[in-house]
Amino acid sequence: MIVVDNSESSRNGDYVPSRFDAQSDAVNLIFSAKTQANPESSVGLMSMGGKGPEVLVTLTTDFGKVLDGLHRTKIRGGTHLATGIQVAGLALKHRQNKSQRQRIIVFTCSPIQEDEKTLVKLAKKMKKNNISIDFIAFGELGDDNTKKLEAFNENVKGGDGSHLAIIPPGPHLLSDALVTTPILSGDNTGGSGGGGVGGAGGENGEGGTGSFEFGVDPSMDPELALALRMSYEEEKARLDKEKKEKEEKEGKPNLEGIREEDEAQPLLNKEGEASGSGNADGGGEPEKKDDVDGDKMDTA
């Protein structure tokens, strides 16, 4: 389940184009990544702002329903983090495929009203129910919010991994920064669930980009990924061709030398078998001797 923050704080424009629109782009990315990683995966959507949490879309593989849910979401009121997580947990409990792992991804960009003790108690309950919870914190990144989220994350972490990604404002898109976090790249970037704290880069950033071929997520930009792959294969073929031509050029003089040496070999041996240059040499000496004898006879 993806829980979006549609409180009044999501109107702010410190993230491009706004906090809520940035969440919408990130929801698109998460849906594509999860459903393409496993065809059996399903994603639901709910909001936690306004008068109370609302389930917008139950677990589905149809992205059109998720888009419709985002378009129907209205920005209003404050946020209800604890209640929203509990409702998301109930929605996961009623999933059709009971063998699927349960995970909740929560966007939060507004001040957290609940106290730390309440959140820690909820975290232990979620861990007991084998529900992994990822937090994507942006917008309101004060010490109070960060401390509460870190406490929640420390108590909810389990074998499947629950991550906390704190993404500060900047010129980058929220979805672009999200790619480098273990929330999308998986648990192979390290064992610490809170590794995303302090930004989207660093250790987890390296692991995130390394998990995609050529550093590009095919689910985000399939055309770019295909173009990079084709370019890589063409360059590889060109290098192989150059290497082959170089090897042929280096081996050609040796082969020519062998042929010339073979041609210089006499085709007739000393016994006179087979004709060749050796016959001329052998026959030349007797002819010279006859000439000398003839001269002597004339002189005599």
Side-chain angles (χ1 to χ4, degrees):
M1 288 294 294
I2 302 176
V3 184
V4 295
D5 188 345
N6 62 324
S7 63
E8 289 293 339
S9 297
S10 64
R11 295 184 186 274
N12 292 357
D14 49 350
Y15 291 80
V16 181
S18 69
R19 291 184 182 180
F20 184 79
D21 291 335
Q23 289 180 82
S24 299
D25 292 338
V27 168
N28 183 1
L29 171 63
I30 294 172
F31 183 93
S32 299
K34 296 301 181 182
T35 53
Q36 290 184 15
N38 188 343
E40 295 184 357
S41 297
S42 54
V43 180
L45 180 70
M46 61 174 294
S47 61
M48 61 177 181
K51 296 181 180 180
E54 179 184 359
V55 177
L56 302 170
V57 182
T58 56
L59 296 173
T60 182
T61 56
D62 185 358
F63 184 62
K65 294 181 179 179
V66 176
L67 280 179
D68 181 63
L70 287 171
H71 292 157
R72 288 188 287 107
T73 304
K74 296 181 179 179
I75 299 175
R76 56 188 178 185
T79 184
H80 308 274
L81 180 62
T83 309
I85 293 175
Q86 290 177 359
V87 173
L90 290 174
L92 289 173
K93 187 177 180 181
H94 292 88
R95 66 193 186 282
Q96 293 182 350
N97 189 352
K98 299 298 181 181
S99 63
Q100 291 177 334
R101 291 193 305 171
Q102 303 175 87
R103 182 178 293 272
I104 301 173
I105 299 178
V106 183
F107 289 89
T108 172
C109 64
S110 57
I112 298 175
Q113 305 298 331
E114 292 82 359
D115 57 23
E116 184 176 331
K117 185 177 179 180
T118 302
L119 293 176
V120 169
K121 184 178 179 181
L122 176 61
K124 292 179 178 179
K125 180 182 178 182
M126 293 293 108
K127 183 178 180 180
K128 185 179 179 181
N129 293 332
N130 294 322
I131 299 177
S132 300
I133 299 180
D134 298 320
F135 277 106
I136 301 172
F138 66 108
E140 301 295 334
L141 302 177
D143 293 338
D144 186 46
N145 266 22
T146 304
K147 185 179 179 181
K148 291 178 180 179
L149 292 175
E150 288 176 349
F152 188 101
N153 181 259
E154 287 296 325
N155 286 275
V156 79
K157 281 192 300 185
D160 294 337
S162 296
H163 308 285
L164 169 60
I166 297 180
I167 303 176
H172 54 266
L173 294 174
L174 180 65
S175 55
D176 291 344
L178 189 59
V179 171
T180 62
T181 65
I183 294 175
L184 285 187
S185 60
D187 299 333
N188 56 352
T189 56
S192 74
V197 177
E203 178 181 344
N204 291 319
E206 294 175 4
T209 55
S211 63
F212 299 119
E213 190 176 18
F214 310 116
V216 176
D217 182 7
S219 64
M220 288 183 60
D221 198 339
E223 293 181 357
L224 177 59
L226 178 61
L228 289 173
R229 172 175 282 280
M230 292 177 64
S231 177
Y232 169 76
E233 292 177 353
E234 289 175 358
E235 180 67 13
K236 185 179 178 182
R238 184 184 67 81
L239 293 175
D240 291 343
K241 184 179 179 181
E242 289 181 356
K243 183 179 179 182
K244 186 176 179 182
E245 291 177 351
K246 186 177 180 181
E247 290 176 352
E248 290 178 353
K249 288 180 180 179
E250 291 176 351
K252 189 173 182 181
N254 296 334
L255 295 175
E256 290 178 351
I258 293 173
R259 292 193 189 100
E260 290 174 0
E261 187 178 351
D262 290 339
E263 292 173 358
Q265 292 292 331
L267 301 179
L268 236 206
N269 56 20
K270 293 181 179 180
E271 286 75 14
E273 296 177 357
S275 61
S277 59
N279 188 21
D281 296 336
E285 290 180 4
E287 289 176 5
K288 185 177 182 181
K289 186 176 180 181
D290 293 339
D291 292 339
V292 173
D293 293 340
D295 292 341
K296 286 182 179 180
M297 290 174 68
D298 292 341
T299 303

